[in-house]
Each structure stands twice: as C-alpha cells, then as structure tokens.
Amino acid sequence: MQRYFVPDDQFHENHVWITGEDAKHIMRVMRMNLTDKIVCANNMGEAFLCEIDKIQDQQVAAVIRSQLISDPELPVRVVIAQGMPKGEKFDTIVRKGTECGASAFIPFYAERSVAVWQKDRIEKKRLRLGKIAKEAAEQSHRLFIPEVTEPMNLGQLLAACKSFTYAAVAYEETAKKGELSALPLLLKQMKPGDSLLAVIGPEGGLSHEEALAFQVAGCRLCGLGPRIMRTETAPLYLLSAVSYQFELLNNEVGY
Amino acid sequence: MQRYFVPDDQFHENHVWITGEDAKHIMRVMRMNLTDKIVCANNMGEAFLCEIDKIQDQQVAAVIRSQLISDPELPVRVVIAQGMPKGEKFDTIVRKGTECGASAFIPFYAERSVAVWQKDRIEKKRLRLGKIAKEAAEQSHRLFIPEVTEPMNLGQLLAACKSFTYAAVAYEETAKKGELSALPLLLKQMKPGDSLLAVIGPEGGLSHEEALAFQVAGCRLCGLGPRIMRTETAPLYLLSAVSYQFELLNNEVGY
C-alpha cells in the first residue's frame, strides 16, 4: 500500500490532510479515488491506515481507520558520517542507507574528499537529499525520515562523536592487518537504544592522521572484511551487519 | 596499485602478457611506463606483483616479482539467483555483489519479472555483465571473477538447487511474520567450503507459489530484517550478513 509521511500538524482529530507533492502524487500519479486506502506516517514513530474521503483543489483528506503496529526501526540509532564522495554517490548512500535503517547522515569533508558543496548550494543539496530520504523511508516502510545534516569538517565531527554512545570508523588498514573482530565486539557491547556514529572515508579512504584523530577521540577502528569496498558500499555493509546482529542473530529461538 | 585479471594462458614462465582492453588501459588511461608496478591475477586464485618491462604495439609485458598472499574470498561460496529486475539494476547487482564477495550470478525469470532478455541479446548482456564483474573484481581485489550464467526459469533454478550445500530464499512474508532467525541458523550450520544459493525476488517479490516451490525443493525461506528492501539492495544485505558471520564474528579473539 502506498505510504506517505505527513507533517504532524496536518493530522487533525481523525483526519489527515495531504498537500503539495504528495497530494499531486495521489491524484495524478496513483490516480486514487475516494475510499482508496493509504498509509500515513507522522515521522514521530506512528503510522496509520487511512481511507481517502475528500479530494478537492490541491488537497487530499483521509480518515484514520487504525494505527499500524510495526517495528521497522533498528533497535540502535546508527548515524552515517560519510566522507564527501564524488558525483551523485551521496544520493545512492542516502537512498540505500535509508532502506537499510540509518537514522541520519552527516556529510563530512575528509582530507581526501574531492567534492565540495558550494556554500550557496548547501541548502539546495540538503533539500534534494531530504526528498530522497523521505521517498526511501516511505518505500521501506520506515517510521522516521533520516535527517541529512549540514556538512562538517574533521574538528566538528570529532566534537560530535561525544554525543554518541559509541563511534566506529571503517578503516581499510585495520582490515589489511587482519583485525576484523573490532566491529562484532563493539556491536555485542551495544544495547537497544544506544547510538552509534559510523564514520566512512571518501574515495581513497581516510588518511592515517584522520584515523589517528578519531582513535584519540575514542572511536574504534573497524575493518569491514577483507575485500576493498567502494565508499558508497561501505555504509550498506555496516548497516546490514548491525541489522544482522540486532534483528536476526539476537532474534534466534534455537532449533 | 592497479590490478588486472589476465587469462592463465598469457602467463609464460616469469612473464605476464597483457593484451586488448587492459593493455590499452595501462598505456593510454594509466599512462604507465617501464618499471611501473601492477598486480596480475589469473582468475585461478593467484595474484602476482609484476613490473612492466616491455611496451610494444598493443601489448604490455610484465615480469613477475612475487606472489601476493591474501585471502579476499568469502569462506563459503555464495551464488545470487536474482529475479530479473527492471532497467539497469542487474548492472548494479553484479557490480556491488562482486564487491561484497558473490561467486556467481544467475538471472532468473520470476513470475513477477517484467524485464525479458531477448534471445538474440543474451550473449551481449552476459558479455557486458562479465565486463562489469571483471572490473569490480579488480577494484575489490578479488581472486576470482564471478560468472554471470545464462538466464534460468523456475524449473531450471529448482533443479540447480540440488548442486548447492544449502539454498536460502529471501522472502518478505517470512520477515513480516517476525521470523527472522532462519538466516543466522542457516549460516551457523554452514562450514567453510560449503556453497549457498541465495534466491532474491524481482520488484514485487516472489509469489506465494514460487516461495512454496522453493520450500518443497529444500530451500529455506529467510527474512532479511523488518524493513522493505529494494530488489537490488537485498543481495548486498545477504552478502554483508554472510561476510559479517564468517569473516568478522568467526574471527573474534575475545576481549
């Protein structure tokens, strides 16, 4: 069933008012009619089964039939701090990372980042990425739209580390040394509700100095297996590993 | 360092002869010169550090300096049977799946597959996907290029199941029922050297009848977590989970 995130102030008593792009999508792309059903989520952890009961001008109104009980959010909050990649790769990372359960994305200027977001285009970039996150969150039945923050430099990111329960840095050199147990050790220490900052380097990876600075700030250097992954694949590996550990392994009932 | 897969019959005593596209890449794109170093892999599990010592006509010769000892291959052989997806998605699946360690890809016509590979274009498609697999295998430092087989129908795929130690089917309905322990239970049973056929549905997923047919054939239905993933994301989740289980978790040294 088609899902839409609707701002909380558009929920009135037993009705949801859908406006803007989403109303157009319902009317023109999906060509829905009265009594058609949709799911509306409020981006505050709740989703409702709704039935369209008014279509007029540029607005759609739907009556709330029932609350949907589901738990599609990772039990731990994972924020991806992504070394600014080239071209359209950030789009892919936000789209796929949202599907895989990320809570937020922090673009950061790493030493080897080539791309720069021009100051006057940052808001436009964030709007575009926010739209991608909303669509991916709707498609993957998430209850929250991941936020894309303003870009940070190394100093800002190091300072931000402190507000997370744990921080992990994907560092290729760690993997090369065969040290692959750091990530599972960290994940096994985490408890539901904890937060994890996961730092991923840009193309070419993090520099030795950056890795050291993160380590000094209390982050753990983790290898993500023995293969060299592209920068846009690493966050998906990490999020999949978190899901496997918390949603599949910890769910085991035995034989 | 730049890596190239070179057919085994182009290894002669202590030299490797590089021809065709790769020779052009070395000469024109990388603009390499005599004494520059490259890595040559023979797609039979061996990689060598080589030094260019002849560039002439359309050929490059390099002398083998040493064998590289590394183990970038998953300890279990994972073959992705992918319900034929739309558009260019198979490219993404082969590229990213190769980065994540897949051994081979089987395109299969699922009930809900919309795309069809025209008979007279199958070889062209396979050539193109083979080239993508080779490039991704070089970039991720793999020792083998994953094969892309001819497309199969359901009957052929069911028959193929028998040649694998285990077969898993990613089935959304399993995840919806909260049954998420099937995949970790299966992976914990697997031993290094075992093979796993992983069946992924196309857009819209597998039909109930298909899931049942796979189950009757001895495949296990597995959920991949509570979020709805796109068809091209599911194989990456599964391969990441296999890597996490076999290369990270099983590598733990304790505190």
Side-chain angles (χ1 to χ4, degrees), chain A residues 32-97:
Chain A
M32 287 195 206
N33 288 313
L34 299 184
T35 77
D36 279 348
K37 291 186 177 59
I38 55 174
V39 173
C40 296
N42 60 5
N43 201 19
M44 296 173 77
E46 295 170 322
F48 302 91
L49 179 67
C50 302
E51 191 181 304
I52 294 174
D53 67 352
K54 196 178 276 180
I55 299 180
Q56 66 178 36
D57 303 331
Q58 302 301 317
Q59 291 202 345
V60 174
V63 59
I64 295 172
R65 290 296 180 206
S66 61
Q67 184 169 355
L68 294 174
I69 304 305
S70 70
D71 196 2
E73 296 296 323
L74 279 175
V76 295
R77 189 178 142 75
V78 183
V79 173
I80 302 292
Q82 174 74 45
M84 198 72 90
K86 287 186 205 164
E88 306 295 290
K89 284 183 191 168
F90 220 100
D91 293 10
T92 308
I93 290 160
V94 169
R95 187 175 294 117
K96 299 289 167 206

Side-chain angles (χ1 to χ4, degrees), chain A residues 193-228:
Chain A
D194 281 351
S195 59
L196 173 68
L197 179 71
V199 181
I200 313 280
E203 295 93 349
L206 297 171
S207 71
H208 179 67
E209 290 70 27
E210 284 173 323
L212 202 66
F214 282 115
Q215 207 171 18
V216 169
C219 305
R220 312 219 199 150
L221 304 186
C222 298
L224 303 181
R227 284 165 302 284
I228 309 300

Side-chain angles (χ1 to χ4, degrees), chain B residues 111-220:
Chain B
E111 200 180 309
R112 295 184 187 147
S113 283
V114 181
V116 177
W117 289 4
Q118 301 297 332
K119 271 241 163 78
D120 56 345
R121 303 185 83 187
I122 288 178
E123 270 321 295
K124 207 176 151 197
K125 287 257 184 199
R126 286 183 62 202
L127 264 176
R128 173 186 163 75
L129 292 170
K131 203 173 159 189
I132 290 173
K134 175 176 177 284
E135 283 170 7
E138 285 167 348
Q139 277 169 354
S140 54
H141 294 197
R142 298 276 307 267
L143 291 178
F144 296 97
I145 306 170
E147 189 200 358
V148 181
T149 72
E150 289 210 24
M152 291 189 187
N153 60 31
L154 181 64
Q156 292 168 316
L157 188 57
L158 288 170
C161 286
K162 295 187 184 74
S163 56
F164 291 84
T165 330
Y166 297 95
V169 176
Y171 190 47
E172 222 168 71
E173 300 302 319
T174 312
K176 277 191 196 156
K177 284 183 198 146
E179 215 301 63
L180 295 170
S181 57
L183 184 65
L185 286 175
L186 190 161
L187 296 186
K188 284 181 178 180
Q189 279 185 289
M190 289 185 76
K191 288 179 223 41
D194 281 351
S195 58
L196 172 68
L197 178 72
V199 181
I200 312 279
E203 294 92 350
L206 296 172
S207 70
H208 178 67
E209 289 70 27
E210 283 173 326
L212 202 65
F214 282 115
Q215 207 171 16
V216 169
C219 306
R220 313 222 198 148

Side-chain angles (χ1 to χ4, degrees), chain A residues 99 139 230 233 237 243-244, chain B residues 139 230 233 237 243 245:
Chain A
E99 273 180 61
Q139 276 169 354
R230 287 188 175 219
T233 313
Y237 181 103
S243 163
Y244 181 74
Chain B
Q139 277 169 354
R230 286 188 176 219
T233 313
Y237 181 104
S243 163
Q245 178 70 52

